[in-house]
Amino acid sequence: MALLRMSARSMRERANNASLAESLTEQFRQHLFHEPSRGERTAWRVSLQALAEVLCDAGLEEVEVLLEYRLPLSSLRADVVLAGSHPETGEPSYVIVELKQWSEARLVPGAADLCLVKGMGNRALLHPVAQVRRYAEYLEDFAAVLHDSPSHLSGLAYLHNAHDRDVSELLGAADGKACLFTSTSRGELIRHLQTRLSSLDGALEADALLDSAVAPGRQLMRAAADEVLNGGKFLLMDEQQVAFSLVKRAAADSRQSHRKEVIVVSGGPGSGKSLIALHVMSHLGRNQRKVVHATGSKSFTTTLQHVVGEKNERVAKLFRYFLDFGNVERNELDALICDEAHRIRRYSGSQHPASGHRSGRSQVEELIDAARVPVFLLDEHQVVRPGEMGSVKAIEEAAAARGCLVRHVNLNEQFRCGGSRAYERWVRRLLGLEPGGPVPWDPGSEFELLVADTPRQMELFLQSQQAAGHTARMTAGFCWPWSYPRPDGSLVEDVVIGDWRRPWNVKGGRVVAGAPSSSLWATESAGIGQVGCIYTAQGFEYAWNGTIFGPDFVWRNDGWRVVPAECKDDSLRRASPDDFARLTRNIYKVLLTRGLTGTVLYSADAETQAMLSRLVAARTP
């Protein structure tokens, strides 16, 4: 999807009269539910005009221009995709263009794919050639129209405000897939475009790309073994690559440096945090560095151990828990990858230091001390239990107290919910985690959002998706008791709504009645038969997600009400009223953002169900 499409001639005309930036701003509001930044609006006014002049000077007025093109299954947007035909072969030809207003930039010492830009402080940014190269590779992987003809696609970065002398360190990164031009090399850019695109109308080629079938990538958990053992095939994009390169650089310097670096990576669901973790594990492991992965989630760690252990049981031991590092020697590891770091607790033991806690340090201090390069990956809106305190601020304060240098990478513009940034923002507004209140869902999004009239209707729809080859799971708020299996191994149908009854995922580590253990509920196909809870769903994703709002979180008149008496989670019920309200919203935010392709909603409360039905027009069949 592109926010706008038009010919290069039309783009120049509209850029000259300022209507182009206005139209993009309106489309941005409509599709993404918030205002574009000042920098984006400036780029639309200045950078697009610079590109339009280049295209028309090259005689490419009829080339089709896709503005703010969203990569499939991603919330990443390429600035421009040019669509047309090749001047020699007549075959479809596409060029991804990344526009930068930078005037001066240099490489980060020791990292060829990172740069520092004048006016942006000490923040490391991905080299624009590396950025556009990854966009091209990603689009080849996901757009079916390009699967058999990758040579039809190339990329370029245009730094129209820069002279070669002011970005000289960046000029050596070009290859056959992506290249860089500045104001100094404007003539070369014109000639380059003339070798990729003819002067003919590019509307049909643009139609083919926009209408192309999308082939989704492999599921993260099923590829974890390949990623850790063999390097894997997943691409890291934009800030994901920045985070990976910062860790790689810090690890390379750690044995000579007198100051420890702590890398903090924050991002919402589906933004690639665990993907970064696996890339780091793979890279450092292949380079003979001592690296361990840790989480505070039993389900997540058990699943990683299970998937990786199928190929190599010894590798599975590299996946640990946060509480395992209290007795580790300082800097014993080269790197410690703390995934799901929002689940860090105040102390690793069950006791406070004053009453016998073994190390006297907080859990985050233990994790920082354990490695030369501690890496924390977290989503602050996934804190769902009392006692969890993992946050960017808490980690930064603990690191600063130990004299560590902290580098923070924010992934919040990355992949999420199958790439739907709009859906994640819609959920945040629905739940009151972002100001503005609930808004109607725009059915024009590639992400599908539906409301079921009954839980049975939801279940039948999800079963049909599973039968069609898509992973699908049903989750619910923790508002019904959770029973152990009966002596004969059958599951108790604890979740009861009217005459519809289904069991929770299996309680404990048992595998019974054809159902997987709770830790593998999200990844084993037999999990479709049970309702998942927050403790088995958090950290996982599947194509289709169904979420049942329980009576603990209901809509009344003009706002949400929390009802602690309806909650069956004993640890949550012991929280203060304010914490209960905050954690309940976070819980439903996690449950609602597990789907990659779509989500189905239902509420057991009639007034809440009516509110959801007003916001979401689409119904399950």
Side-chain angles (χ1 to χ4, degrees):
M1 184 187 79
L3 291 187
L4 286 178
R5 67 174 284 189
M6 62 195 68
S7 68
R9 175 185 287 108
S10 178
M11 181 171 74
R12 180 174 64 173
E13 293 170 354
R14 297 181 64 178
N16 287 337
N17 64 26
S19 68
L20 183 59
E22 294 175 1
S23 296
L24 281 168
T25 298
E26 180 56 36
Q27 289 296 308
F28 191 96
R29 290 191 193 108
Q30 180 177 337
H31 289 283
L32 298 177
F33 299 109
H34 66 109
E35 291 291 323
S37 68
R38 178 182 299 178
E40 285 172 308
R41 292 194 296 267
T42 300
W44 293 337
R45 289 194 304 270
V46 178
S47 299
L48 292 180
Q49 183 173 22
L51 177 63
E53 296 295 341
V54 165
L55 291 170
C56 292
D57 288 351
L60 302 177
E61 293 93 340
E62 300 306 317
V63 163
E64 200 78 355
V65 182
L66 306 178
L67 300 175
E68 296 294 330
Y69 174 83
R70 198 183 86 178
L71 300 179
L73 299 182
S74 164
S75 59
L76 287 174
R77 290 176 283 120
D79 290 338
V80 176
V81 176
L82 304 175
S85 57
H86 195 279
E88 295 181 3
T89 67
E91 294 289 320
S93 184
Y94 305 95
V95 180
I96 300 177
V97 181
E98 188 64 22
L99 298 166
K100 301 293 187 187
Q101 298 184 73
W102 304 351
S103 59
E104 294 181 33
R106 58 186 175 85
L107 293 178
V108 172
D113 59 351
L114 299 180
C115 51
L116 299 172
V117 179
K118 182 180 179 181
M120 296 189 182
N122 199 36
R123 178 189 173 195
L125 299 175
L126 188 62
H127 192 301
V129 170
Q131 179 183 5
V132 78
R133 183 189 296 122
R134 282 170 169 75
Y135 283 5
E137 292 172 351
Y138 182 91
L139 192 55
E140 287 171 0
D141 286 340
F142 283 91
V145 71
L146 296 170
H147 284 176
D148 298 325
S149 305
S151 61
H152 292 173
L153 178 68
S154 64
L156 66 89
Y158 183 29
L159 281 59
H160 55 88
N161 286 337
H163 297 286
D164 281 359
R165 65 176 181 271
D166 298 319
V167 293
S168 58
E169 293 184 15
L170 277 60
L171 298 180
D175 58 19
K177 182 61 67 177
C179 46
L180 183 147
F181 300 92
T182 69
S183 62
T184 306
S185 53
R186 186 178 187 274
E188 295 177 30
L189 170 58
I190 288 174
R191 288 191 291 274
H192 175 79
L193 290 170
Q194 290 170 336
T195 68
R196 299 295 307 180
L197 297 161
S198 76
S199 61
L200 299 177
D201 186 301
L204 291 179
E205 288 79 11
D207 289 344
L209 181 61
L210 292 172
D211 295 338
S212 175
V214 174
R218 297 171 295 172
Q219 291 183 46
L220 173 62
M221 299 312 302
R222 280 305 174 192
D226 184 50
E227 185 62 54
V228 173
L229 296 173
N230 303 311
K233 303 299 181 184
F234 282 109
L235 284 173
L236 294 177
M237 307 289 282
D238 285 18
E239 298 303 304
Q240 294 172 341
Q241 181 65 29
V242 170
F244 172 70
S245 294
L246 286 174
V247 175
K248 185 169 69 171
R249 174 178 177 268
D253 293 345
S254 63
R255 293 179 180 177
Q256 288 77 39
S257 175
H258 296 293
R259 191 177 188 189
K260 178 184 292 193
E261 285 192 29
V262 176
I263 312 296
V264 181
V265 182
S266 60
S271 58
K273 298 184 296 297
S274 295
L275 178 58
I276 294 167
L278 295 178
H279 266 271
V280 170
M281 290 282 291
S282 175
H283 171 79
L284 295 182
R286 290 198 308 273
N287 286 277
Q288 306 301 311
R289 296 301 183 101
K290 293 187 290 184
V291 57
V292 171
H293 181 283
T295 80
S297 166
K298 180 180 180 181
S299 294
F300 195 69
T301 300
T302 300
T303 300
L304 284 169
Q305 291 172 336
H306 173 75
V307 173
V308 175
E310 288 181 345
K311 287 191 175 183
N312 189 325
E313 291 184 3
R314 295 176 65 190
V315 174
K317 297 174 184 177
L318 297 176
F319 295 89
R320 314 297 300 179
Y321 296 98
F322 292 153
L323 54 78
D324 292 336
F325 295 89
N327 289 332
V328 172
E329 294 291 329
R330 290 180 187 269
N331 297 329
E332 173 71 20
L333 303 172
D334 289 305
L336 176 59
I337 313 303
C338 301
D339 206 349
E340 300 277 297
H342 42 267
R343 302 207 64 179
I344 289 174
R345 303 185 74 83
R346 191 165 301 280
Y347 298 104
S348 292
S350 60
Q351 298 177 326
H352 188 277
S355 55
H357 180 65
R358 59 187 177 187
S359 74
R361 294 171 293 162
S362 67
Q363 188 171 86
V364 69
E365 290 172 335
E366 292 175 353
L367 297 171
I368 290 172
D369 288 347
R372 297 177 185 274
V373 183
V375 182
F376 296 89
L377 305 107
L378 71 157
D379 175 2
E380 293 177 306
H381 287 294
Q382 288 200 48
V383 174
V384 298
R385 300 190 72 174
E388 294 177 348
M389 47 74 66
S391 68
V392 174
K393 181 180 179 182
I395 295 167
E396 289 181 339
E397 288 178 349
R402 276 164 153 61
C404 302
L405 175 65
V406 180
R407 298 190 184 274
H408 179 207
V409 180
N410 190 333
L411 300 177
N412 277 325
E413 293 299 325
Q414 290 281 346
F415 314 105
R416 50 211 303 114
C417 308
S420 180
R421 177 72 173 171
Y423 173 67
E424 197 266 347
R425 186 174 293 274
W426 184 87
V427 168
R428 287 167 60 86
R429 289 189 60 169
L430 172 72
L431 300 178
L433 295 171
E434 187 171 296
V439 293
W441 171 248
D442 176 11
S445 171
E446 293 181 16
F447 188 86
E448 294 190 61
L449 181 60
L450 310 172
V451 171
D453 294 327
T454 66
R456 178 173 285 107
Q457 188 183 56
M458 173 189 286
E459 182 180 41
L460 291 174
F461 177 82
L462 295 175
Q463 288 173 343
S464 71
Q465 294 298 319
Q466 180 98 345
H470 309 293
T471 52
R473 295 291 184 274
M474 180 184 296
T475 59
F478 207 153
C479 300
W480 293 269
W482 188 10
S483 303
Y484 283 103
R486 298 185 180 95
D488 63 2
S490 61
L491 299 179
V492 179
E493 294 180 326
D494 286 315
V495 183
V496 180
I497 302 174
D499 61 355
W500 181 83
R501 311 172 66 92
R502 288 295 179 272
W504 287 110
N505 49 256
V506 178
K507 189 172 186 177
R510 300 171 60 185
V511 179
V512 298
S517 66
S518 59
S519 296
L520 302 178
W521 167 86
T523 54
E524 296 293 316
S525 59
I528 186 68
Q530 310 96 49
V531 180
C533 66
I534 183 62
Y535 301 121
T536 47
Q538 188 174 27
F540 298 97
E541 294 167 341
Y542 17 85
W544 274 94
N545 170 45
T547 297
I548 297 174
F549 286 81
D552 62 336
F553 194 55
V554 297
W555 185 267
R556 292 292 180 264
N557 299 319
D558 59 353
W560 289 103
R561 305 289 185 271
V562 292
V563 187
E566 295 288 352
C567 177
K568 304 302 180 185
D569 185 337
D570 290 339
S571 65
L572 190 59
R573 291 177 65 177
R574 290 194 292 268
S576 69
D578 287 346
D579 282 348
F580 182 90
R582 176 178 60 87
L583 296 172
T584 298
R585 291 174 193 270
N586 284 352
I587 286 170
Y588 278 103
K589 196 254 186 178
V590 172
L591 295 180
L592 288 167
T593 52
R594 301 302 91 196
L596 293 167
T597 302
T599 292
V600 186
L601 309 177
Y602 175 79
S603 176
D605 174 76
E607 189 171 338
T608 308
Q609 174 74 359
M611 182 271 293
L612 295 173
S613 298
R614 289 193 298 271
L615 296 178
V616 183
R619 295 290 185 274
T620 55

